[in-house]
Amino acid sequence: MRYEEQAKLGAARVLVRSALLVASPLLLVAGAPIRRRYLRHIYRDGAPLILEKEKGRVSIHWWLAVV
């Protein structure tokens, strides 16, 4: 690989990481209403339990709520 190609690749990596660092707080703020609506949907009345130890069932929603 040429030096110029390596320099472009390194610059792209730095720019992607810095863009993620800048965008992450914005994504957290923007995702809060979506996350709130989703959790309200999971915990609504009549919804199946996300963790049923008696039946040995763990819903995928449990993993999403934990994260």
Side-chain angles (χ1 to χ4, degrees):
M1 195 184 286
R2 294 183 183 156
Y3 175 73
E4 297 86 21
E5 292 174 1
Q6 287 180 348
K8 287 180 185 178
L9 186 60
R13 286 181 182 163
V14 169
L15 288 175
V16 167
R17 288 180 183 162
S18 61
L20 287 175
L21 185 66
V22 169
S24 61
L26 297 174
L27 292 173
L28 283 173
V29 170
I34 297 168
R35 189 171 44 253
R36 196 173 322 127
R37 267 185 284 163
Y38 179 69
L39 289 174
R40 211 177 312 139
H41 173 73
I42 306 175
Y43 292 115
R44 71 189 184 279
D45 290 336
L49 296 176
I50 59 173
L51 183 63
E52 292 180 292
K53 289 185 179 180
E54 300 83 28
K55 294 182 181 178
R57 181 180 165 279
V58 177
S59 173
I60 187 66
H61 299 102
W62 186 82
W63 299 106
L64 294 174
V66 170
V67 174

Short mmCIF file of all heavy atoms in Angstrom, two decimals:
data_model
loop_
_atom_site.label_atom_id
_atom_site.label_comp_id
_atom_site.label_asym_id
_atom_site.label_seq_id
_atom_site.Cartn_x
_atom_site.Cartn_y
_atom_site.Cartn_z
N MET A 1 0.85 -1.17 0.00
CA MET A 1 0.00 0.00 0.00
C MET A 1 0.90 1.23 0.00
O MET A 1 1.88 1.30 0.72
CB MET A 1 -0.90 -0.02 1.24
CG MET A 1 -2.04 0.94 1.15
SD MET A 1 -3.06 1.02 2.64
CE MET A 1 -3.96 -0.48 2.56
N ARG A 2 0.53 2.21 -0.76
CA ARG A 2 1.31 3.43 -0.84
C ARG A 2 1.11 4.29 0.39
O ARG A 2 0.11 4.20 1.09
CB ARG A 2 0.92 4.22 -2.08
CG ARG A 2 1.26 3.52 -3.35
CD ARG A 2 0.91 4.39 -4.52
NE ARG A 2 1.17 3.70 -5.76
CZ ARG A 2 0.58 3.97 -6.89
NH1 ARG A 2 -0.33 4.92 -6.94
NH2 ARG A 2 0.88 3.31 -7.97
N TYR A 3 2.06 5.17 0.59
CA TYR A 3 2.01 6.07 1.74
C TYR A 3 0.79 6.99 1.66
O TYR A 3 0.12 7.24 2.66
CB TYR A 3 3.30 6.90 1.82
CG TYR A 3 3.26 7.93 2.91
CD1 TYR A 3 3.37 7.56 4.24
CD2 TYR A 3 3.06 9.27 2.62
CE1 TYR A 3 3.30 8.49 5.25
CE2 TYR A 3 3.00 10.22 3.61
CZ TYR A 3 3.12 9.82 4.93
OH TYR A 3 3.05 10.75 5.93
N GLU A 4 0.48 7.48 0.45
CA GLU A 4 -0.66 8.38 0.28
C GLU A 4 -1.96 7.69 0.65
O GLU A 4 -2.85 8.27 1.26
CB GLU A 4 -0.74 8.91 -1.16
CG GLU A 4 0.43 9.74 -1.60
CD GLU A 4 1.58 8.90 -2.14
OE1 GLU A 4 1.35 7.74 -2.55
OE2 GLU A 4 2.72 9.39 -2.13
N GLU A 5 -2.09 6.42 0.26
CA GLU A 5 -3.30 5.66 0.58
C GLU A 5 -3.41 5.43 2.08
O GLU A 5 -4.51 5.49 2.65
CB GLU A 5 -3.29 4.33 -0.17
CG GLU A 5 -3.43 4.47 -1.67
CD GLU A 5 -3.27 3.16 -2.39
OE1 GLU A 5 -3.08 2.13 -1.72
OE2 GLU A 5 -3.34 3.16 -3.62
N GLN A 6 -2.31 5.16 2.72
CA GLN A 6 -2.32 4.95 4.16
C GLN A 6 -2.70 6.24 4.88
O GLN A 6 -3.42 6.22 5.87
CB GLN A 6 -0.97 4.46 4.65
CG GLN A 6 -0.67 3.03 4.26
CD GLN A 6 0.69 2.58 4.76
OE1 GLN A 6 1.50 3.39 5.20
NE2 GLN A 6 0.94 1.29 4.67
N ALA A 7 -2.20 7.37 4.37
CA ALA A 7 -2.52 8.66 4.99
C ALA A 7 -4.01 8.97 4.84
O ALA A 7 -4.65 9.44 5.78
CB ALA A 7 -1.69 9.76 4.35
N LYS A 8 -4.59 8.68 3.68
CA LYS A 8 -6.02 8.90 3.46
C LYS A 8 -6.85 8.00 4.38
O LYS A 8 -7.85 8.43 4.95
CB LYS A 8 -6.39 8.63 2.01
CG LYS A 8 -5.90 9.69 1.05
CD LYS A 8 -6.31 9.34 -0.37
CE LYS A 8 -5.73 10.32 -1.35
NZ LYS A 8 -6.07 9.97 -2.74
N LEU A 9 -6.43 6.76 4.51
CA LEU A 9 -7.14 5.82 5.38
C LEU A 9 -7.07 6.27 6.84
O LEU A 9 -8.07 6.24 7.55
CB LEU A 9 -6.54 4.42 5.22
CG LEU A 9 -7.24 3.29 5.94
CD1 LEU A 9 -8.67 3.15 5.46
CD2 LEU A 9 -6.48 1.99 5.73
N GLY A 10 -5.92 6.71 7.26
CA GLY A 10 -5.76 7.21 8.63
C GLY A 10 -6.59 8.46 8.88
O GLY A 10 -7.23 8.61 9.93
N ALA A 11 -6.62 9.35 7.90
CA ALA A 11 -7.43 10.57 8.03
C ALA A 11 -8.92 10.23 8.10
O ALA A 11 -9.67 10.83 8.86
CB ALA A 11 -7.15 11.51 6.87
N ALA A 12 -9.34 9.27 7.29
CA ALA A 12 -10.74 8.86 7.31
C ALA A 12 -11.11 8.26 8.66
O ALA A 12 -12.19 8.53 9.20
CB ALA A 12 -11.00 7.85 6.19
N ARG A 13 -10.23 7.47 9.23
CA ARG A 13 -10.49 6.89 10.56
C ARG A 13 -10.63 7.96 11.63
O ARG A 13 -11.52 7.92 12.46
CB ARG A 13 -9.37 5.93 10.94
CG ARG A 13 -9.40 4.63 10.20
CD ARG A 13 -8.29 3.73 10.66
NE ARG A 13 -8.29 2.48 9.90
CZ ARG A 13 -7.29 1.65 9.83
NH1 ARG A 13 -6.16 1.93 10.47
NH2 ARG A 13 -7.38 0.55 9.11
N VAL A 14 -9.75 8.94 11.58
CA VAL A 14 -9.81 10.03 12.55
C VAL A 14 -11.09 10.84 12.39
O VAL A 14 -11.75 11.19 13.37
CB VAL A 14 -8.56 10.94 12.41
CG1 VAL A 14 -8.72 12.22 13.20
CG2 VAL A 14 -7.31 10.19 12.85
N LEU A 15 -11.48 11.12 11.14
CA LEU A 15 -12.69 11.90 10.90
C LEU A 15 -13.95 11.13 11.33
O LEU A 15 -14.86 11.73 11.90
CB LEU A 15 -12.78 12.27 9.41
CG LEU A 15 -11.80 13.34 8.95
CD1 LEU A 15 -11.90 13.54 7.44
CD2 LEU A 15 -12.06 14.64 9.67
N VAL A 16 -13.98 9.84 11.09
CA VAL A 16 -15.14 9.04 11.51
C VAL A 16 -15.24 9.01 13.02
O VAL A 16 -16.33 9.18 13.59
CB VAL A 16 -15.06 7.61 10.92
CG1 VAL A 16 -16.06 6.69 11.58
CG2 VAL A 16 -15.28 7.65 9.42
N ARG A 17 -14.14 8.81 13.69
CA ARG A 17 -14.16 8.78 15.16
C ARG A 17 -14.57 10.12 15.74
O ARG A 17 -15.34 10.19 16.69
CB ARG A 17 -12.81 8.35 15.70
CG ARG A 17 -12.54 6.88 15.46
CD ARG A 17 -11.21 6.46 15.99
NE ARG A 17 -10.96 5.06 15.68
CZ ARG A 17 -9.78 4.50 15.70
NH1 ARG A 17 -8.71 5.21 16.03
NH2 ARG A 17 -9.64 3.22 15.40
N SER A 18 -14.07 11.20 15.18
CA SER A 18 -14.44 12.51 15.70
C SER A 18 -15.91 12.81 15.40
O SER A 18 -16.60 13.43 16.23
CB SER A 18 -13.54 13.60 15.13
OG SER A 18 -13.65 13.64 13.73
N ALA A 19 -16.42 12.39 14.25
CA ALA A 19 -17.84 12.59 13.93
C ALA A 19 -18.72 11.81 14.89
O ALA A 19 -19.76 12.30 15.34
CB ALA A 19 -18.11 12.17 12.49
N LEU A 20 -18.32 10.59 15.23
CA LEU A 20 -19.08 9.80 16.21
C LEU A 20 -19.05 10.44 17.58
O LEU A 20 -20.06 10.45 18.30
CB LEU A 20 -18.53 8.37 16.28
CG LEU A 20 -18.84 7.48 15.08
CD1 LEU A 20 -18.12 6.15 15.23
CD2 LEU A 20 -20.32 7.27 14.94
N LEU A 21 -17.93 10.98 17.95
CA LEU A 21 -17.80 11.64 19.25
C LEU A 21 -18.70 12.87 19.33
O LEU A 21 -19.35 13.11 20.35
CB LEU A 21 -16.34 12.03 19.49
CG LEU A 21 -16.02 12.62 20.85
CD1 LEU A 21 -16.23 11.55 21.94
CD2 LEU A 21 -14.60 13.11 20.88
N VAL A 22 -18.78 13.62 18.25
CA VAL A 22 -19.62 14.81 18.23
C VAL A 22 -21.10 14.44 18.14
O VAL A 22 -21.95 15.04 18.80
CB VAL A 22 -19.23 15.71 17.03
CG1 VAL A 22 -20.24 16.81 16.81
CG2 VAL A 22 -17.84 16.30 17.26
N ALA A 23 -21.44 13.41 17.38
CA ALA A 23 -22.84 13.05 17.14
C ALA A 23 -23.46 12.24 18.27
O ALA A 23 -24.68 12.22 18.40
CB ALA A 23 -22.95 12.27 15.84
N SER A 24 -22.67 11.56 19.08
CA SER A 24 -23.25 10.67 20.09
C SER A 24 -24.15 11.38 21.10
O SER A 24 -25.24 10.86 21.39
CB SER A 24 -22.15 9.88 20.80
OG SER A 24 -21.26 10.74 21.44
N PRO A 25 -23.81 12.54 21.64
CA PRO A 25 -24.76 13.20 22.55
C PRO A 25 -26.06 13.60 21.85
O PRO A 25 -27.14 13.50 22.43
CB PRO A 25 -24.01 14.44 23.05
CG PRO A 25 -22.59 14.19 22.75
CD PRO A 25 -22.55 13.26 21.59
N LEU A 26 -25.95 14.02 20.61
CA LEU A 26 -27.15 14.39 19.86
C LEU A 26 -28.05 13.19 19.63
O LEU A 26 -29.27 13.28 19.74
CB LEU A 26 -26.76 15.02 18.51
CG LEU A 26 -25.97 16.31 18.58
CD1 LEU A 26 -25.53 16.74 17.20
CD2 LEU A 26 -26.80 17.39 19.25
N LEU A 27 -27.47 12.04 19.33
CA LEU A 27 -28.26 10.83 19.13
C LEU A 27 -28.92 10.37 20.42
O LEU A 27 -30.04 9.88 20.41
CB LEU A 27 -27.37 9.72 18.54
CG LEU A 27 -26.89 9.96 17.12
CD1 LEU A 27 -25.91 8.87 16.72
CD2 LEU A 27 -28.05 10.01 16.17
N LEU A 28 -28.23 10.54 21.54
CA LEU A 28 -28.83 10.18 22.83
C LEU A 28 -30.03 11.06 23.15
O LEU A 28 -31.07 10.58 23.60
CB LEU A 28 -27.79 10.28 23.95
CG LEU A 28 -26.79 9.15 24.03
CD1 LEU A 28 -25.74 9.48 25.08
CD2 LEU A 28 -27.48 7.86 24.37
N VAL A 29 -29.90 12.34 22.89
CA VAL A 29 -31.01 13.27 23.15
C VAL A 29 -32.16 13.00 22.20
O VAL A 29 -33.32 12.99 22.59
CB VAL A 29 -30.52 14.73 23.04
CG1 VAL A 29 -31.68 15.70 23.07
CG2 VAL A 29 -29.54 15.03 24.16
N ALA A 30 -31.86 12.78 20.94
CA ALA A 30 -32.90 12.53 19.95
C ALA A 30 -33.59 11.20 20.17
O ALA A 30 -34.78 11.04 19.88
CB ALA A 30 -32.31 12.58 18.54
N GLY A 31 -32.88 10.23 20.71
CA GLY A 31 -33.46 8.90 20.91
C GLY A 31 -34.28 8.76 22.18
O GLY A 31 -34.98 7.77 22.36
N ALA A 32 -34.24 9.74 23.07
CA ALA A 32 -34.96 9.64 24.34
C ALA A 32 -36.46 9.48 24.16
O ALA A 32 -37.06 8.60 24.78
CB ALA A 32 -34.63 10.84 25.22
N PRO A 33 -37.14 10.27 23.32
CA PRO A 33 -38.58 10.06 23.15
C PRO A 33 -38.93 8.70 22.55
O PRO A 33 -39.92 8.07 22.95
CB PRO A 33 -39.01 11.18 22.20
CG PRO A 33 -37.92 12.16 22.22
CD PRO A 33 -36.68 11.44 22.60
N ILE A 34 -38.11 8.23 21.63
CA ILE A 34 -38.35 6.92 21.03
C ILE A 34 -38.20 5.83 22.07
O ILE A 34 -39.02 4.92 22.17
CB ILE A 34 -37.37 6.69 19.85
CG1 ILE A 34 -37.63 7.72 18.77
CG2 ILE A 34 -37.49 5.28 19.31
CD1 ILE A 34 -36.57 7.78 17.71
N ARG A 35 -37.14 5.92 22.87
CA ARG A 35 -36.91 4.94 23.92
C ARG A 35 -38.04 4.97 24.94
O ARG A 35 -38.51 3.93 25.39
CB ARG A 35 -35.56 5.24 24.58
CG ARG A 35 -35.09 4.20 25.54
CD ARG A 35 -33.66 4.43 26.01
NE ARG A 35 -33.36 5.80 26.36
CZ ARG A 35 -32.60 6.62 25.64
NH1 ARG A 35 -32.07 6.22 24.52
NH2 ARG A 35 -32.36 7.86 26.04
N ARG A 36 -38.52 6.16 25.30
CA ARG A 36 -39.61 6.29 26.26
C ARG A 36 -40.90 5.65 25.73
O ARG A 36 -41.57 4.91 26.45
CB ARG A 36 -39.84 7.78 26.56
CG ARG A 36 -40.65 8.03 27.79
CD ARG A 36 -40.72 9.52 28.13
NE ARG A 36 -39.45 10.19 27.87
CZ ARG A 36 -39.32 11.29 27.12
NH1 ARG A 36 -40.34 11.85 26.56
NH2 ARG A 36 -38.13 11.83 26.93
N ARG A 37 -41.24 5.91 24.46
CA ARG A 37 -42.43 5.31 23.87
C ARG A 37 -42.31 3.79 23.81
O ARG A 37 -43.26 3.06 24.05
CB ARG A 37 -42.66 5.85 22.46
CG ARG A 37 -43.58 7.03 22.43
CD ARG A 37 -43.85 7.43 21.03
NE ARG A 37 -42.64 8.13 20.56
CZ ARG A 37 -42.35 8.36 19.30
NH1 ARG A 37 -43.14 7.96 18.36
NH2 ARG A 37 -41.25 9.00 18.97
N TYR A 38 -41.11 3.30 23.47
CA TYR A 38 -40.89 1.86 23.37
C TYR A 38 -41.06 1.20 24.74
O TYR A 38 -41.72 0.17 24.86
CB TYR A 38 -39.50 1.59 22.81
CG TYR A 38 -39.20 0.13 22.69
CD1 TYR A 38 -39.85 -0.65 21.76
CD2 TYR A 38 -38.27 -0.48 23.53
CE1 TYR A 38 -39.60 -2.00 21.64
CE2 TYR A 38 -38.00 -1.82 23.42
CZ TYR A 38 -38.67 -2.58 22.47
OH TYR A 38 -38.41 -3.90 22.38
N LEU A 39 -40.48 1.79 25.78
CA LEU A 39 -40.61 1.22 27.12
C LEU A 39 -42.06 1.28 27.60
O LEU A 39 -42.53 0.36 28.27
CB LEU A 39 -39.68 1.94 28.09
CG LEU A 39 -38.20 1.65 27.89
CD1 LEU A 39 -37.37 2.52 28.81
CD2 LEU A 39 -37.89 0.19 28.11
N ARG A 40 -42.79 2.34 27.25
CA ARG A 40 -44.20 2.42 27.59
C ARG A 40 -44.98 1.31 26.90
O ARG A 40 -45.90 0.73 27.46
CB ARG A 40 -44.75 3.79 27.19
CG ARG A 40 -45.85 4.25 28.09
CD ARG A 40 -46.35 5.63 27.76
NE ARG A 40 -45.30 6.61 27.58
CZ ARG A 40 -45.29 7.54 26.63
NH1 ARG A 40 -46.28 7.62 25.76
NH2 ARG A 40 -44.30 8.40 26.54
N HIS A 41 -44.60 0.99 25.67
CA HIS A 41 -45.26 -0.09 24.92
C HIS A 41 -44.99 -1.46 25.56
O HIS A 41 -45.88 -2.29 25.66
CB HIS A 41 -44.78 -0.09 23.47
CG HIS A 41 -45.26 -1.24 22.67
ND1 HIS A 41 -46.57 -1.36 22.26
CD2 HIS A 41 -44.62 -2.35 22.22
CE1 HIS A 41 -46.71 -2.48 21.57
NE2 HIS A 41 -45.54 -3.10 21.54
N ILE A 42 -43.77 -1.69 25.99
CA ILE A 42 -43.42 -2.98 26.59
C ILE A 42 -44.14 -3.19 27.92
O ILE A 42 -44.60 -4.28 28.20
CB ILE A 42 -41.90 -3.09 26.87
CG1 ILE A 42 -41.07 -2.82 25.66
CG2 ILE A 42 -41.56 -4.48 27.34
CD1 ILE A 42 -39.59 -2.82 26.02
N TYR A 43 -44.21 -2.15 28.73
CA TYR A 43 -44.76 -2.27 30.07
C TYR A 43 -46.24 -1.90 30.16
O TYR A 43 -46.76 -1.67 31.25
CB TYR A 43 -43.96 -1.40 31.05
CG TYR A 43 -42.57 -1.91 31.25
CD1 TYR A 43 -41.47 -1.16 30.84
CD2 TYR A 43 -42.34 -3.14 31.84
CE1 TYR A 43 -40.18 -1.64 31.03
CE2 TYR A 43 -41.06 -3.62 32.02
CZ TYR A 43 -39.99 -2.87 31.61
OH TYR A 43 -38.71 -3.33 31.78
N ARG A 44 -46.95 -1.88 29.02
CA ARG A 44 -48.38 -1.56 29.03
C ARG A 44 -49.16 -2.66 29.75
O ARG A 44 -48.66 -3.78 29.92
CB ARG A 44 -48.88 -1.38 27.61
CG ARG A 44 -48.96 -2.69 26.85
CD ARG A 44 -49.25 -2.47 25.38
NE ARG A 44 -49.42 -3.71 24.68
CZ ARG A 44 -48.45 -4.48 24.24
NH1 ARG A 44 -47.19 -4.11 24.42
NH2 ARG A 44 -48.69 -5.60 23.62
N ASP A 45 -50.38 -2.35 30.13
CA ASP A 45 -51.25 -3.35 30.76
C ASP A 45 -51.59 -4.44 29.75
O ASP A 45 -51.92 -4.15 28.61
CB ASP A 45 -52.53 -2.71 31.28
CG ASP A 45 -52.28 -1.82 32.47
OD1 ASP A 45 -51.27 -2.05 33.16
OD2 ASP A 45 -53.08 -0.90 32.70
N GLY A 46 -51.53 -5.67 30.17
CA GLY A 46 -51.87 -6.79 29.29
C GLY A 46 -50.73 -7.27 28.44
O GLY A 46 -50.88 -8.21 27.66
N ALA A 47 -49.59 -6.66 28.53
CA ALA A 47 -48.44 -7.09 27.73
C ALA A 47 -47.83 -8.35 28.36
O ALA A 47 -47.87 -8.53 29.58
CB ALA A 47 -47.38 -6.00 27.69
N PRO A 48 -47.29 -9.25 27.56
CA PRO A 48 -46.63 -10.43 28.13
C PRO A 48 -45.40 -10.00 28.92
O PRO A 48 -44.75 -9.01 28.59
CB PRO A 48 -46.25 -11.27 26.92
CG PRO A 48 -46.27 -10.34 25.77
CD PRO A 48 -47.23 -9.25 26.10
N LEU A 49 -45.11 -10.74 29.95
CA LEU A 49 -43.94 -10.42 30.77
C LEU A 49 -42.67 -10.59 29.96
O LEU A 49 -42.56 -11.47 29.13
CB LEU A 49 -43.90 -11.32 32.00
CG LEU A 49 -45.06 -11.17 32.98
CD1 LEU A 49 -44.93 -12.20 34.09
CD2 LEU A 49 -45.09 -9.77 33.55
N ILE A 50 -41.69 -9.73 30.24
CA ILE A 50 -40.44 -9.85 29.49
C ILE A 50 -39.50 -10.87 30.12
O ILE A 50 -38.55 -11.30 29.50
CB ILE A 50 -39.74 -8.49 29.34
CG1 ILE A 50 -39.42 -7.87 30.68
CG2 ILE A 50 -40.57 -7.54 28.52
CD1 ILE A 50 -38.59 -6.61 30.58
N LEU A 51 -39.80 -11.25 31.36
CA LEU A 51 -38.99 -12.27 32.03
C LEU A 51 -39.93 -13.19 32.78
O LEU A 51 -40.55 -12.78 33.76
CB LEU A 51 -37.99 -11.61 32.98
CG LEU A 51 -37.03 -12.52 33.71
CD1 LEU A 51 -36.13 -13.23 32.72
CD2 LEU A 51 -36.20 -11.74 34.70
N GLU A 52 -40.08 -14.43 32.31
CA GLU A 52 -40.93 -15.42 32.96
C GLU A 52 -40.06 -16.59 33.38
O GLU A 52 -39.76 -17.48 32.58
CB GLU A 52 -42.03 -15.89 32.00
CG GLU A 52 -43.04 -14.83 31.66
CD GLU A 52 -44.09 -15.35 30.71
OE1 GLU A 52 -43.74 -15.62 29.56
OE2 GLU A 52 -45.23 -15.49 31.16
N LYS A 53 -39.65 -16.58 34.63
CA LYS A 53 -38.74 -17.62 35.12
C LYS A 53 -39.42 -18.97 35.19
O LYS A 53 -38.79 -20.00 34.98
CB LYS A 53 -38.19 -17.23 36.48
CG LYS A 53 -37.22 -16.09 36.43
CD LYS A 53 -36.63 -15.82 37.79
CE LYS A 53 -35.63 -14.69 37.73
NZ LYS A 53 -35.04 -14.41 39.03
N GLU A 54 -40.73 -18.97 35.51
CA GLU A 54 -41.44 -20.24 35.64
C GLU A 54 -41.45 -21.00 34.32
O GLU A 54 -41.32 -22.23 34.29
CB GLU A 54 -42.89 -20.01 36.10
CG GLU A 54 -43.04 -19.32 37.43
CD GLU A 54 -42.91 -17.81 37.33
OE1 GLU A 54 -43.22 -17.23 36.27
OE2 GLU A 54 -42.46 -17.21 38.31
N LYS A 55 -41.64 -20.29 33.23
CA LYS A 55 -41.69 -20.91 31.91
C LYS A 55 -40.31 -20.98 31.25
O LYS A 55 -40.17 -21.56 30.18
CB LYS A 55 -42.63 -20.14 30.99
CG LYS A 55 -44.08 -20.19 31.44
CD LYS A 55 -44.95 -19.44 30.46
CE LYS A 55 -46.39 -19.47 30.88
NZ LYS A 55 -47.24 -18.69 29.95
N GLY A 56 -39.33 -20.35 31.87
CA GLY A 56 -37.99 -20.33 31.28
C GLY A 56 -37.92 -19.46 30.04
O GLY A 56 -37.18 -19.76 29.12
N ARG A 57 -38.70 -18.39 30.04
CA ARG A 57 -38.78 -17.53 28.86
C ARG A 57 -38.20 -16.15 29.17
O ARG A 57 -38.55 -15.53 30.15
CB ARG A 57 -40.25 -17.38 28.47
CG ARG A 57 -40.50 -16.55 27.26
CD ARG A 57 -42.00 -16.48 26.99
NE ARG A 57 -42.35 -15.44 26.07
CZ ARG A 57 -42.49 -14.17 26.37
NH1 ARG A 57 -42.30 -13.77 27.60
NH2 ARG A 57 -42.82 -13.28 25.47
N VAL A 58 -37.31 -15.72 28.30
CA VAL A 58 -36.76 -14.36 28.38
C VAL A 58 -37.01 -13.72 27.03
O VAL A 58 -36.57 -14.22 26.00
CB VAL A 58 -35.25 -14.36 28.70
CG1 VAL A 58 -34.71 -12.96 28.70
CG2 VAL A 58 -34.99 -15.04 30.01
N SER A 59 -37.72 -12.61 27.03
CA SER A 59 -38.05 -11.92 25.78
C SER A 59 -36.85 -11.08 25.31
O SER A 59 -36.02 -10.66 26.11
CB SER A 59 -39.26 -11.02 26.01
OG SER A 59 -39.50 -10.24 24.87
N ILE A 60 -36.82 -10.83 24.02
CA ILE A 60 -35.78 -9.97 23.48
C ILE A 60 -35.90 -8.57 24.04
O ILE A 60 -34.93 -7.83 24.15
CB ILE A 60 -35.83 -9.96 21.92
CG1 ILE A 60 -34.65 -9.21 21.33
CG2 ILE A 60 -37.12 -9.35 21.44
CD1 ILE A 60 -33.32 -9.85 21.57
N HIS A 61 -37.11 -8.19 24.46
CA HIS A 61 -37.32 -6.86 25.03
C HIS A 61 -36.52 -6.68 26.31
O HIS A 61 -36.15 -5.58 26.65
CB HIS A 61 -38.80 -6.62 25.30
CG HIS A 61 -39.62 -6.68 24.06
ND1 HIS A 61 -40.38 -7.77 23.74
CD2 HIS A 61 -39.77 -5.81 23.04
CE1 HIS A 61 -40.98 -7.56 22.60
NE2 HIS A 61 -40.63 -6.36 22.15
N TRP A 62 -36.27 -7.76 27.02
CA TRP A 62 -35.49 -7.66 28.25
C TRP A 62 -34.09 -7.15 27.94
O TRP A 62 -33.58 -6.27 28.61
CB TRP A 62 -35.41 -9.02 28.95
CG TRP A 62 -34.75 -8.95 30.28
CD1 TRP A 62 -35.30 -8.58 31.45
CD2 TRP A 62 -33.38 -9.26 30.56
NE1 TRP A 62 -34.38 -8.63 32.46
CE2 TRP A 62 -33.19 -9.05 31.93
CE3 TRP A 62 -32.30 -9.68 29.80
CZ2 TRP A 62 -31.95 -9.27 32.55
CZ3 TRP A 62 -31.09 -9.89 30.41
CH2 TRP A 62 -30.93 -9.68 31.77
N TRP A 63 -33.50 -7.66 26.89
CA TRP A 63 -32.15 -7.25 26.53
C TRP A 63 -32.14 -5.80 26.05
O TRP A 63 -31.22 -5.05 26.35
CB TRP A 63 -31.58 -8.15 25.44
CG TRP A 63 -31.48 -9.56 25.90
CD1 TRP A 63 -32.29 -10.58 25.54
CD2 TRP A 63 -30.54 -10.10 26.84
NE1 TRP A 63 -31.92 -11.73 26.20
CE2 TRP A 63 -30.85 -11.46 27.00
CE3 TRP A 63 -29.48 -9.56 27.56
CZ2 TRP A 63 -30.12 -12.29 27.86
CZ3 TRP A 63 -28.76 -10.40 28.39
CH2 TRP A 63 -29.07 -11.74 28.54
N LEU A 64 -33.18 -5.38 25.35
CA LEU A 64 -33.25 -4.00 24.88
C LEU A 64 -33.49 -3.04 26.03
O LEU A 64 -32.96 -1.94 26.03
CB LEU A 64 -34.35 -3.86 23.83
CG LEU A 64 -34.11 -4.61 22.53
CD1 LEU A 64 -35.33 -4.52 21.64
CD2 LEU A 64 -32.88 -4.10 21.81
N ALA A 65 -34.29 -3.45 27.00
CA ALA A 65 -34.56 -2.58 28.15
C ALA A 65 -33.34 -2.44 29.04
O ALA A 65 -33.10 -1.39 29.62
CB ALA A 65 -35.75 -3.12 28.94
N VAL A 66 -32.54 -3.49 29.14
CA VAL A 66 -31.35 -3.47 29.98
C VAL A 66 -30.29 -2.56 29.38
O VAL A 66 -29.64 -1.79 30.07
CB VAL A 66 -30.79 -4.89 30.19
CG1 VAL A 66 -29.44 -4.85 30.85
CG2 VAL A 66 -31.77 -5.71 31.01
N VAL A 67 -30.14 -2.65 28.08
CA VAL A 67 -29.11 -1.85 27.40
C VAL A 67 -29.58 -0.43 27.36
O VAL A 67 -29.04 0.50 27.72
CB VAL A 67 -28.86 -2.36 25.99
CG1 VAL A 67 -27.92 -1.46 25.23
CG2 VAL A 67 -28.33 -3.77 26.04
#
